[in-house]
Amino acid sequence: MMPDARGVTLERFRWIGGHADIWQIFRDPGALAAVVGALAGPFRDDGVTAVCGIESRGFLLGAAVAVELGVGFVAVRKGEGIFPGEKLTRRSDPDYRGNRQELRLQRAAVGPGDRVLLVDDWIETGSQASAVRSMVEQCGGHWAGCTVIVDQTTPARRADLGVRSIVTAAELPAWDGQSSYMSGWPVVG
């Protein structure tokens, strides 16, 4: 019997030194299968032709969801690592820490008529997802939405990006408040 994705997410989630840690989901094959199935589920009959993921956990989850949906995977790289071919580049709006990411997508990876789903572990402000959406649309692709383990976006941003999640940040176990790293994070209510 397949474990419940919401249950395994909440069971394996931890705060470590003020940082959200979901890595134990990846270590357990049953938990990982449940989470991948839950991420793919809302989009299974939505005509998705490609799944993209942002480096690094988005690569892991995105590739697994692509296999689950029977479609290909499109990498979105951060920074300056090797990434051959013509690329589109976007600088995201500031995230919850005020950081902007330079994101890159190979132009040939998305074509006209593609219906592209973004997969990631966590979405806070939606700034990176919005940048990816812009690149997908510039390539002639269509945005199917975004599926994540944890959603921390505002209701308006969630609707705009078509975010589906397994849990919201407000459902996670309480953080102990010992580290200043987490201060200032908005909590979805």
Side-chain angles (χ1 to χ4, degrees):
M1 181 174 187
M2 181 72 69
D4 166 61
R6 184 178 183 285
V8 298
T9 298
L10 294 173
E11 178 183 307
R12 286 165 176 76
F13 177 85
R14 301 287 181 269
W15 293 108
I16 298 177
H19 298 271
D21 178 34
I22 61 157
W23 284 103
Q24 290 305 307
I25 292 169
F26 293 93
R27 181 63 179 99
D28 179 317
L32 181 57
V35 165
V36 168
L39 291 171
F43 296 92
R44 194 169 303 283
D45 298 321
D46 203 31
V48 170
T49 62
V51 170
C52 65
I54 301 169
E55 189 172 2
S56 69
R57 284 179 295 239
F59 280 11
L60 298 168
L61 290 167
V65 169
V67 169
E68 180 82 10
L69 293 176
V71 300
F73 177 74
V74 176
V76 177
R77 298 274 333 247
K78 293 180 183 177
E80 297 296 322
I82 295 173
F83 204 35
E86 184 182 350
K87 289 164 284 304
L88 295 177
T89 302
R90 292 287 185 282
R91 191 157 179 85
S92 70
D93 288 338
D95 64 14
Y96 66 95
R97 295 173 292 187
N99 296 331
R100 296 172 59 118
Q101 296 289 333
E102 183 171 299
L103 302 173
R104 299 174 297 141
L105 173 82
Q106 288 176 316
R107 183 178 282 279
V110 175
D114 270 328
R115 188 156 170 76
V116 181
L117 173 64
L118 175 65
V119 177
D120 212 346
D121 64 323
W122 197 301
I123 187 168
E124 296 93 4
T125 65
S127 63
Q128 291 182 37
S130 184
V132 171
R133 179 182 190 170
S134 172
M135 291 187 289
V136 163
E137 290 173 348
Q138 185 176 343
C139 288
H142 303 281
W143 184 254
C146 180
T147 186
V148 298
I149 297 173
V150 181
D151 175 13
Q152 195 172 353
T153 58
T154 64
R157 187 66 137 174
R158 183 177 308 118
D160 177 56
L161 292 171
V163 176
R164 302 288 182 88
S165 68
I166 295 172
V167 299
T168 65
E171 295 174 285
L172 295 174
W175 168 61
D176 66 13
Q178 305 253 333
S179 170
S180 63
Y181 178 80
M182 299 303 292
S183 64
W185 270 33
V187 176
V188 175

